[in-house]
Amino acid sequence: ERIAAADGCDARTAADTLARHDAARRDYLKRFYGVGTERPEQYDLVVNTGSLDAASLVPLLVGAATS
């Protein structure tokens, strides 16, 4: 829904765009880092930007970076 709204396209086009971007990310991680399956525990911080706005994210990220 966010991609469709941002790009001004229908849901099917947005889903296709997302699938292409996901495939490109998987390819990048595999080629450069040998990562076969991306998992959240591989990251120090995972943020769902679909549920938090920028005003909420800034203090969260600053706090994580400075602690």
Side-chain angles (χ1 to χ4, degrees), residues 1-2 6 20 22-23 28 35 37 39 42-43 50 56-57 66:
E1 290 175 1
R2 288 189 297 160
R20 281 194 319 276
D22 286 348
Y28 174 85
V35 173
T37 303
R39 296 184 320 264
Q42 295 167 323
Y43 297 89
S56 301
L57 283 174
T66 58

Side-chain angles (χ1 to χ4, degrees), residues 22-43:
D22 286 348
R25 179 177 179 81
R26 281 190 304 275
D27 179 61
Y28 174 85
L29 291 171
K30 180 71 173 177
R31 281 190 294 136
F32 293 102
Y33 299 102
V35 173
T37 303
E38 190 175 9
R39 296 184 320 264
E41 58 270 8
Q42 295 167 323
Y43 297 89

Side-chain angles (χ1 to χ4, degrees), residues 41-64:
E41 58 270 8
Q42 295 167 323
Y43 297 89
D44 293 323
L45 178 65
V46 177
V47 178
N48 181 349
T49 59
S51 62
L52 295 171
D53 61 9
S56 301
L57 283 174
V58 171
L60 174 72
L61 296 175
V62 169

